[in-house]
Amino acid sequence: MSAVPLRLSDAERRPMAATAPRSVTILGATGSIGSSTIDLLRRERDRFRVEALTAHGNVQLLVQLAREFGARFAGVADEARYAELKDALAGTGIAVGAGEAAMIEAAERPADWVMAAMSGAAGLKPALAAAERGAVIALANKECLVCAGDVFMRRAAQAGARVLPVDSEHNALFQALSAGRGEEVVRVILTASGGPFRTWTREAIERATPEEALRHPNWTMGRKITIDSATMMNKGLEIIEAHHLFGFAGDRIDVLVHPQSIVHGLVEYADRSVIAQMGSPDMRTPIAHCLAWPERIAGPAASLDLARLGQLTFEAPDPERFPALRLARQALDAGGALQTVFNAANEIAVAAFLDHRLAFGGIARLVEATMAAFARQAGTGTPATADEALAVDHTARKMAAALLPQIAVKAS
Ligand code: NDP
Ligand code: MG
């Protein structure tokens, strides 16, 4: 298992400003993480140069950003929007592209640093393309690790790429892990806000609407991850993400509900010291850490005022009302393919829920039913390549779609 090295050598601590501006590419520049990254770039114009930017369909914002930063390439995933992109950037000297090939081209262009912030398993191939040319990859797109974590981390290590965790909990662990050595770690702890339904009854959660689920108490994020936070599938994905990033077995990755989202992650060492990373809930903090790594730049988040907050509270997750963690651990224990299935079925379930075709409680049921059906029919071997993982992903999506009507009926 390849893992993020826990400590930096002195050679890696060279000042980033000593050389030319760091060139950066943002995959998913128009999204929530993309916008936070752009905000940081605006504050540090001399330190960074933009190589490539991508979006799925938001051509208007993509064009605006590409012009503002003088990007060398802009790519839109939705091929139907190609002409619009091409026309809007005509005469600027900015190269354009469309479709999956353009996402991969953006990743392959020679930026020092790539933010992988597309959402879903669609982000796997572009992120892998950046890894395979040995880039520094700020990885927000956790689904790509859950879909094909073994392949991704192996290829990144082989190519000498450096994977930096953007996800706030994993970024916290990355920082806290520099206080000791890997073999001295007893366990790592991911915190979870508990989402909007933390105090709701099981019956109320079962019937929650998309509007209710999209109202996250602490974080403003894209729609998919906001629903994942409400089901706690996000924390399930994050257990698997932590396993692939740091190499810890599932029984050494704990989850702690912490409604204020101030403590993001904790590492317990053999001597029982627990090192935690804290900060206001603002993704610009972990992104800034990755952007400047191994140095630090000024972050725009609110300074943490613990006296004003008064108290921080913690509780154990409730497996009855939130079955997502159990399903994630089951997928992790079973090995590669079921992790891919877990992610794929969840993507189908979230889309169906947002589309009012599935009850909120049906999301976990559909994921569980798809995992069971896949294990019965296709086994659980670990995909050896990205294409194998994507083939499993494709099969699992079809199975989830086929199971959807019966799960949806049971729920109503
Ligand atoms: P958003 O939905 O806000 O943004 C997603 C971005 O990816 C947009 O630029 C979107 O383009 C683009 N995109 C979406 N689907 C595709 C596709 N099929 N092909 C190409 N581009 C695509 O998501 P977030 O920024 O919230 O999340 C991005 C990733 O980061 C997710 O994996 C999420 O789990 C992870 N993450 C997010 C956090 C957050 O605070 N938001 C925290 C931790 C992790 P367009 O705008 O044109 O649709
Ligand atoms: Mg997170």
Side-chain angles (χ1 to χ4, degrees):
M1 159 78 43
S2 10
V4 173
L6 303 180
R7 278 146 69 106
L8 305 177
S9 68
D10 286 344
E12 286 171 317
R13 287 206 166 273
R14 53 190 184 277
M16 60 175 294
T19 52
R22 177 176 256 190
S23 53
V24 307
T25 283
I26 308 175
L27 305 171
T30 51
S32 167
I33 293 287
S35 300
S36 293
T37 311
I38 291 284
D39 179 77
L40 292 167
L41 295 182
R42 281 200 183 104
R43 294 163 195 269
E44 299 276 349
R45 289 201 183 260
D46 298 341
R47 292 177 104 130
F48 303 100
R49 176 185 72 69
V50 173
E51 176 67 33
L53 300 173
T54 74
H56 179 256
N58 190 346
V59 167
Q60 201 183 353
L61 181 55
L62 179 65
V63 164
Q64 185 192 315
L65 295 173
R67 284 176 176 271
E68 177 185 345
F69 287 93
R72 295 184 180 172
F73 179 81
V76 65
D78 180 356
E79 294 185 355
R81 314 297 296 270
Y82 178 63
E84 190 184 340
L85 177 66
K86 192 162 168 262
D87 291 350
L89 289 177
T92 60
I94 302 170
V96 293
E100 188 185 65
M103 304 298 105
I104 292 171
E105 178 176 352
E108 283 176 343
R109 282 180 158 253
D112 304 321
W113 185 95
V114 177
M115 166 56 81
M118 286 166 54
S119 64
L124 172 62
K125 279 199 164 173
L128 196 57
E132 286 178 339
R133 66 173 180 82
V136 177
I137 300 159
L139 191 70
N141 178 220
K142 65 194 86 182
E143 294 94 337
C144 99
L145 278 184
V146 180
C147 176
D150 288 318
V151 174
F152 185 87
M153 293 306 287
R154 188 175 64 242
R155 301 278 273 275
Q158 283 164 353
R162 183 58 84 113
V163 181
L164 303 176
V166 172
D167 211 348
S168 56
E169 300 78 1
H170 304 72
N171 185 268
L173 296 183
F174 183 52
Q175 297 195 46
L177 284 168
S178 68
R181 291 202 304 267
E183 63 269 26
E184 296 163 346
V185 173
V186 174
R187 63 180 176 138
V188 298
I189 304 167
L190 305 166
T191 60
S193 69
F197 307 142
R198 182 175 61 86
T199 57
W200 288 31
T201 63
R202 194 178 178 157
E203 295 69 34
I205 292 173
E206 173 64 40
R207 294 186 304 270
T209 64
E211 293 67 34
E212 289 165 335
L214 284 168
R215 235 175 274 138
H216 195 279
N218 303 344
W219 300 94
T220 308
M221 309 179 286
R223 285 159 65 86
K224 156 77 172 38
I225 185 175
T226 304
I227 301 304
D228 286 345
S229 297
T231 53
M232 290 194 74
M233 283 292 178
N234 182 48
K235 216 48 55 180
L237 295 167
E238 289 183 357
I239 292 174
I240 300 173
E241 180 185 17
H243 164 75
H244 289 297
L245 283 171
F246 304 114
F248 297 117
D251 61 2
R252 292 210 288 158
I253 306 169
D254 281 352
V255 170
L256 183 63
V257 174
H258 166 44
Q260 297 83 14
S261 298
I262 298 296
V263 179
H264 303 298
L266 309 91
V267 177
E268 181 179 348
Y269 288 97
D271 61 6
R272 302 298 174 199
S273 288
V274 177
I275 309 291
Q277 187 265 358
M278 300 196 269
S280 303
D282 186 327
M283 284 308 294
R284 292 175 301 178
T285 301
I287 297 170
H289 179 253
C290 294
L291 191 57
W293 179 89
E295 300 299 309
R296 289 194 188 257
I297 50 175
S303 182
L304 184 58
D305 186 346
L306 287 173
R308 192 181 56 76
L309 278 164
Q311 57 178 340
L312 302 178
T313 59
F314 301 92
E315 61 202 49
D318 177 353
E320 294 303 318
R321 290 178 306 137
F322 299 99
L325 298 185
R326 172 177 58 79
L327 296 174
R329 290 193 186 283
Q330 197 181 316
L332 183 56
D333 292 346
L338 266 201
Q339 298 170 28
T340 316
V341 175
F342 172 75
N343 179 66
N346 183 53
E347 288 194 32
I348 295 294
V350 170
F353 168 69
L354 284 171
D355 215 15
H356 300 270
R357 287 182 289 120
L358 183 64
F360 185 82
I363 297 176
R365 282 194 292 276
L366 182 59
V367 171
E368 184 157 24
T370 310
M371 283 168 60
F374 188 92
R376 266 197 313 275
Q377 288 175 32
T380 59
T382 300
T385 63
D387 284 336
E388 276 182 38
L390 290 171
V392 170
D393 176 270
H394 183 72
T395 304
R397 282 168 200 266
K398 282 210 305 219
M399 283 183 171
L403 287 163
L404 179 62
Q406 70 197 66
I407 301 284
V409 166
K410 257 190 232 158
S412 56

